[in-house]
Amino acid sequence: MRADLVVVGSGLFGLTVAQQAAERGLDVVVVERRDHLGGNAWSELEPETGIEVHRYGAHLFHTSNERVWRYVNRFTSFTDYRHRVWSVRAGEVYPLPINLGTINQFFRRALGPAEARDLVARQAAEIAGEPANLEEKAISLIGRPLYEAFVRGYTAKQWQTDPTRLPASVISRLPVRYTYDNRYFNDTWQGLPTDGYAAWLTRMVDNPRIDVRLETDFLEAGHPLSRDAVRGQVPVVYTGPVDRYFDHVHGALGWRTLDFAQEVLPVGDFQGAPVLNYADDDVPHTRILEFRHFHPERDYPSDRTVVVREYSRFAEPGDEPYYPVNTPTDRERLAAYRTMVEAERTRHRVAFGGRLGSYQYLDMHMAIASALRLVDNDLDGLLGRVAPRLEVAL
Ligand code: FAD
Ligand code: UDP
């Protein structure tokens, strides 16, 4: 086996690096711990119904980055799916994200856009200056009554962390609209891969120069593709958890994990929508996903459906890390790991990237964009080749 580059992790970050490096003529070995490639975007068909289920939670592709959109379209086409979510609260169902429909239903009014803006502005006025955390940010956007109804309970379940200790950025990704537009995302392009995530992700490594080794943990000693065998011998792009790479010397970084309870139900339609969020504290799940609704264009059985209840909790050792918690302690530890990352890059030609390698929540399009940037800016340096320079004779 020949390798110019070893990529650890076959999520969208690792696959993009591998695909781009192979296209530049390099032989790439991708090392993946799980028994499938694709990372958390992986999906499979539920065997009894044939309904495509996203194994690690609902994945909706959306981007406004034209380069990323063109890139992903090389491997798959996309349906015209537009994501919409509703929130169940105190026995009523409201549209999300917070929009004119939500506001009027909640306040039992028939306000126009300008009146609704005034009402919310009055309720949001208690936050003066730059919001310092998620709670302040949410109140500054939607006022306290809507915050308490739709955000506080859901966020408490989702994060098990006081909203005043969470960064404002977590809520900034949700729009607030003074129209009845209830599309969940604002991005220019969105959709779901027409023939599924598995087909898309598998096509990315359909190149004889790419060798994917499944069920191979880079950090487990004693095999020829382990960290100890490879490091220093060949350049590495590592997309696993940064703290684990360094044997947790500065302590473990905090992550939340999810538990998914999947059921096949003997009905054609369980909830009439792909995702219902549950805002109340006393309902233990955060949301219910019904996967048939992600592909209304497909010929799914009309008498059975697949639903998944999602529960959130802090990750224990051995759990899948999903969302970085990012408390002040985590940020201190991360700073210490970043110093080690720099040294590892220089000394052993190991570059870190992706959601786990950078301890950063990344949407799929962000993971791809970040991987393309690594290839643009860092690959030649990592390989130890000097990029051709333009010589100008004066
Ligand atoms: P990952 O997909 O996590 O891939 C990392 C890979 O590295 C994994 O396959 C892992 O097994 C492997 N690995 C780790 N350690 C080792 C090791 N030691 N040896 C070998 N292999 C290793 N994005 C969207 O755009 N839209 C969405 O709707 C959306 N929903 C999401 C819902 C959930 C619940 C979660 C958790 C994420 C969601 N995302 C969504 C984000 C999306 O999953 C990420 O953008 C994507 O996972 C990033 O890819 P990655 O390659 O950085 O990481
Ligand atoms: N959020 C909320 N209520 C909702 C939906 C979202 O309070 O019904 C908040 C919550 O803090 C969440 C954040 O907005 O973590 C981002 O929501 P998104 O749907 O992007 O992500 P999630 O964390 O639910 O996967």
Side-chain angles (χ1 to χ4, degrees):
M1 180 180 53
R2 222 187 93 81
D4 300 307
L5 178 69
V6 170
V7 173
V8 181
S10 65
L12 274 164
F13 191 99
L15 290 182
T16 304
V17 170
Q19 190 281 332
Q20 288 283 291
E23 205 161 83
R24 284 162 173 68
L26 302 178
D27 288 321
V28 185
V29 173
V30 179
V31 180
E32 171 54 57
R33 190 156 73 111
R34 293 174 174 166
D35 62 3
H36 62 80
L37 57 69
N40 286 348
W42 187 248
S43 72
E44 49 211 357
L45 303 187
E46 192 288 317
E48 198 185 312
T49 57
I51 293 175
E52 181 179 349
V53 172
H54 305 167
R55 176 144 153 194
Y56 303 93
H59 274 68
L60 301 317
F61 188 80
H62 56 99
T63 187
S64 296
N65 181 325
E66 191 177 351
R67 181 179 184 200
V68 168
W69 181 241
R70 273 193 276 116
Y71 180 67
V72 295
N73 273 275
R74 289 179 54 187
F75 310 104
T76 181
S77 58
F78 288 84
T79 65
D80 59 4
Y81 177 82
R82 299 289 172 267
H83 194 44
R84 290 188 167 81
V85 178
W86 282 263
S87 176
V88 183
R89 186 216 159 246
E92 263 189 78
V93 182
Y94 297 84
L96 285 180
I98 305 285
N99 64 71
L100 202 47
T102 327
I103 295 168
N104 277 331
Q105 185 181 345
F106 182 73
F107 293 110
R108 304 260 173 239
R109 306 282 292 273
L111 305 173
E115 296 162 315
R117 256 181 220 281
D118 283 351
L119 175 72
V120 170
R122 281 198 302 281
Q123 293 173 343
E126 66 175 275
I127 305 297
E130 195 54 34
N133 54 55
L134 188 150
E135 177 168 298
E136 290 188 15
K137 178 75 187 179
I139 294 174
S140 77
L141 287 171
I142 57 176
R144 187 173 285 277
L146 290 165
Y147 163 73
E148 288 183 351
F150 297 106
V151 175
R152 198 170 57 189
Y154 182 90
T155 302
K157 285 193 284 186
Q158 185 71 298
W159 293 92
Q160 286 110 50
T161 300
D162 192 298
T164 57
R165 281 177 56 81
L166 289 167
S169 57
V170 168
I171 194 96
S172 309
R173 59 177 186 257
L174 287 189
V176 179
R177 299 206 192 94
Y178 292 93
T179 66
Y180 290 93
D181 177 0
N182 70 333
R183 281 171 310 165
Y184 205 65
F185 303 118
N186 273 335
D187 278 316
T188 312
W189 296 284
Q190 61 170 303
L192 290 170
T194 310
D195 51 0
Y197 279 97
W200 165 16
L201 299 162
T202 305
R203 257 180 235 129
M204 287 181 75
V205 288
D206 182 16
N207 182 324
R209 289 194 178 279
I210 303 177
D211 183 355
V212 182
R213 299 299 173 106
L214 299 176
E215 297 182 86
T216 309
D217 189 332
F218 185 68
L219 299 182
E220 224 163 65
H223 63 85
L225 285 168
S226 68
R227 172 187 55 193
D228 301 338
V230 164
R231 180 206 222 181
Q233 307 298 312
V234 62
V236 174
V237 173
Y238 174 84
T239 75
V242 59
D243 52 353
R244 187 167 173 238
Y245 184 94
F246 295 112
D247 302 319
H248 302 107
V249 285
H250 296 299
L253 295 169
W255 289 90
R256 281 189 311 109
T257 194
L258 300 174
D259 295 315
F260 299 106
Q262 181 171 320
E263 280 180 283
V264 176
L265 299 176
V267 293
D269 193 350
F270 172 72
Q271 62 183 16
V275 180
L276 294 191
N277 285 0
Y278 284 80
D280 297 321
D281 292 335
D282 56 352
V283 177
H285 45 269
T286 47
R287 48 194 171 197
I288 302 184
L289 320 173
E290 185 173 8
F291 279 98
R292 67 177 309 113
H293 293 296
F294 288 119
H295 288 283
E297 79 287 358
R298 288 189 189 166
D299 193 16
Y300 283 150
S302 58
D303 58 347
R304 278 161 303 156
T305 196
V306 182
V307 298
V308 173
R309 282 182 174 69
E310 210 177 287
Y311 302 83
S312 181
R313 61 180 170 82
F314 280 109
E316 307 279 338
D319 285 329
E320 287 293 343
Y322 283 128
Y323 298 93
V325 181
N326 237 323
T327 60
T329 311
D330 290 323
R331 287 197 284 272
E332 265 169 43
R333 290 179 178 172
L334 182 62
Y337 284 121
R338 287 211 170 127
T339 308
M340 297 182 82
V341 161
E342 288 303 315
E344 197 67 8
R345 167 77 179 74
T346 319
R347 217 174 300 143
H348 297 298
R349 292 194 287 162
V350 179
F352 289 69
R355 199 175 54 90
L356 303 165
S358 61
Y359 189 66
Q360 233 191 334
Y361 180 83
L362 299 175
D363 271 330
M364 292 182 277
H365 66 108
M366 296 158 83
I368 295 165
S370 165
L372 291 173
R373 270 199 307 278
L374 182 143
V375 173
D376 287 348
N377 302 333
D378 209 21
L379 191 60
D380 285 330
L382 195 66
L383 294 167
R385 290 201 216 135
V386 180
R389 274 193 304 175
L390 185 66
E391 298 287 353
V392 182
L394 292 173

